[in-house]
């Protein structure tokens, strides 16, 4: 501001008046100050201004780089935060950088609240974080901790997927689960419940996996190896998320297995990649935009009123039928 004042031939106080759009400067002076600011590349430091008032008005977001659905959530967070007058700062987990480090980086940059996308931290760690700052989890329900949560009605989503497969005529439906990843335990339980409800518990099978393409590829290779030993492929597979489903599709494509002619595949998330595959994926849609908006709302409202009760937003999923599910082979 001092540089602008010197070049414009006015006082620093007058420059401040112009930048704050306050009365006290004529139009000619305003125009000259703004022109000089543009010429020398000056931009007001909003972060410093807010910190001087004791606020950063910044929401920190913890995410995982290689999860497409979390990228969809981030895209939804930005416009809602901006609408509410907040900036967004991202911090990613990576090899050698765990969630605790990523969160500490957000807090070190004076984020007023943190939004955790699919956190894997232990319950005690999340409870400790909730005691330190305003925090919201997305994609994971956290009980008995001072954190608000936004998540999908997993049971309903899995039920729709399983009902769809059974209605097509499938009876041998295998589930490749997500291991310890967020939502996996709920989806695993819902799969088993659906198999019992359809009186198919005798053919139920859960293959341990994770929310990655590699897990899907490994599950596909296992099933193909079993076929070589005389065990037929399941007629349908419900994968714990879209990335895992895509791994299955890759493994089957390399082996010449027709999807859905020989085996149907259903995913979960409806991430932006799910309809870009050569064979568009049947999947359960989680409403990323609505989940993002609810997470931002929870964070901002708690910043304004810390006495609010702990809240949960349960978002309804929706089955999206595309090309990877069909009737079983005769």
């Amino acid at each position: 501001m001092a540089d602008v004042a010197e070049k414009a031939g006015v006082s620093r106080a007058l420059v401040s008046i112009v930048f704050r759009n306050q009365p006290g400067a004529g139009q000619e002076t305003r125009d000259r100050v703004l022109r000089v600011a543009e010429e020398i590349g000056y931009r007001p430091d909003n972060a410093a201004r807010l910190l001087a008032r004791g606020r950063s008005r910044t929401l920190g977001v913890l995410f995982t780089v290689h999860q497409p659905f979390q990228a969809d959530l981030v895209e939804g967070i930005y416009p809602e935060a901006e609408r509410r007058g907040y900036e967004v700062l991202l911090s990613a987990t990576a090899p050698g950088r765990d969630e605790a480090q990523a969160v500490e980086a957000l807090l070190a940059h004076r984020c007023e609240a943190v939004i955790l996308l699919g956190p894997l931290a232990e319950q005690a760690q999340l409870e400790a974080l909730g005691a330190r700052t305003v925090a919201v989890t997305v994609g994971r329900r956290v009980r008995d901790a001072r954190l608000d949560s936004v998540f999908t009605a997993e049971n309903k989503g899995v039920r729709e997927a399983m009902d769809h497969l059974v209605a097509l005529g499938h009876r041998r439906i295998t589930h490749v689960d997500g291991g310890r990843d967020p939502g996996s335990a709920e989806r695993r339980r819902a799969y088993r419940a659906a198999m019992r409800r359809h009186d198919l518990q005798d053919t139920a099978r859960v293959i341990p996996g994770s929310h990655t393409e590699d897990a899907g590829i490994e599950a596909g290779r296992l099933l193909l190896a079993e076929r070589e030993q005389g065990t037929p492929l399941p007629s349908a597979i419900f994968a714990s998320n879209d990335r895992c489903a895509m791994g299955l599709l890759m493994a089957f494509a390399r082996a010449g297995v027709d999807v859905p002619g020989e085996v149907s595949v259903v995913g979960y998330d409806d991430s932006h990649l799910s309809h870009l595959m050569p064979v568009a994926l049947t999947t359960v849609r989680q409403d990323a935009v609505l989940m993002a908006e609810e997470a931002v709302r929870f964070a901002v409202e708690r910043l304004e009123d810390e006495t609010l009760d702990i809240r949960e937003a349960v978002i309804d999923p929706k089955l999206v039928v595309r090309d990877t599910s069909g009737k079983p082979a005769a």
Side-chain angles (χ1 to χ4, degrees), residues 21-285:
N21 199 27
Q22 298 294 313
Q27 190 59 49
E28 182 181 349
T29 301
R30 289 180 183 275
D31 292 343
R32 184 166 73 256
V33 168
L34 294 174
R35 184 174 63 253
V36 168
E38 184 174 357
E39 288 173 357
I40 69 174
Y42 173 81
R43 294 293 182 273
D45 190 339
N46 291 326
R49 183 184 303 168
L50 289 167
L51 286 174
R53 300 175 188 169
R55 296 288 306 273
S56 70
R57 294 194 73 84
T58 301
L59 304 178
V61 178
L62 168 75
F63 75 111
T64 302
V65 172
H66 297 298
Q67 288 292 356
F69 183 67
Q70 292 190 14
D72 295 345
L73 288 168
V74 169
E75 285 187 353
I77 286 172
Y78 270 106
E80 182 64 12
E82 182 178 348
R83 188 180 73 81
R84 293 177 176 270
Y86 281 78
E87 297 289 338
V88 174
L89 183 65
L90 303 179
S91 186
T93 59
R97 190 173 196 259
D98 61 19
E99 289 184 359
Q101 291 172 294
V103 169
E104 286 303 320
L106 294 172
L107 297 178
H109 282 84
R110 301 290 296 274
C111 291
E112 294 189 50
V114 291
I115 297 174
L116 313 174
L117 306 185
L120 298 174
E122 298 292 337
Q123 175 83 12
Q125 294 175 294
L126 293 174
E127 290 176 359
L129 178 63
R132 291 176 61 194
T133 189
V134 172
V136 181
T137 62
V138 180
R140 176 180 172 184
R141 187 181 192 182
V142 183
R143 299 178 184 271
D144 304 319
R146 190 163 180 76
L147 294 92
D148 295 319
S149 301
V150 180
F151 53 92
T152 296
E154 307 284 5
N155 288 343
K156 182 176 180 181
V158 175
R159 185 169 62 248
E160 288 189 10
M162 295 296 290
D163 288 352
H164 166 67
L165 291 172
V166 171
L168 288 171
H170 293 280
R171 297 295 179 266
R172 294 179 295 107
I173 307 170
T174 292
H175 176 45
V176 181
D177 79 0
R180 293 182 58 253
D181 290 337
S184 299
E186 293 83 357
R187 294 170 200 175
R188 187 165 53 242
R189 284 194 295 268
Y191 160 78
R192 289 188 169 125
M195 292 295 279
R196 288 193 299 270
R197 183 164 51 85
H198 289 290
D199 198 24
L200 299 174
Q201 60 270 22
D202 291 343
T203 61
R205 181 185 182 186
V206 176
I207 298 176
S210 66
H211 286 170
T212 65
E213 292 86 357
D214 286 345
I217 291 171
E218 287 303 312
R221 288 174 176 168
L222 171 64
L223 293 169
L224 291 166
E226 291 177 349
R227 185 179 66 168
E228 292 295 320
Q229 300 300 317
T231 301
L233 291 172
S235 66
I237 302 173
F238 168 55
S240 193
N241 82 332
D242 288 351
R243 289 183 66 193
C244 181
M246 290 175 188
L248 284 162
L249 295 180
M250 287 187 279
F252 291 148
R254 291 168 186 168
V257 174
D258 180 42
V259 177
E262 295 179 67
V263 57
S264 290
V265 176
V266 176
Y268 202 106
D269 281 344
D270 195 31
S271 63
H272 64 275
L273 296 180
S274 62
H275 52 88
L276 300 179
M277 296 289 289
V279 183
L281 181 66
T282 295
T283 185
V284 177
R285 173 179 295 160

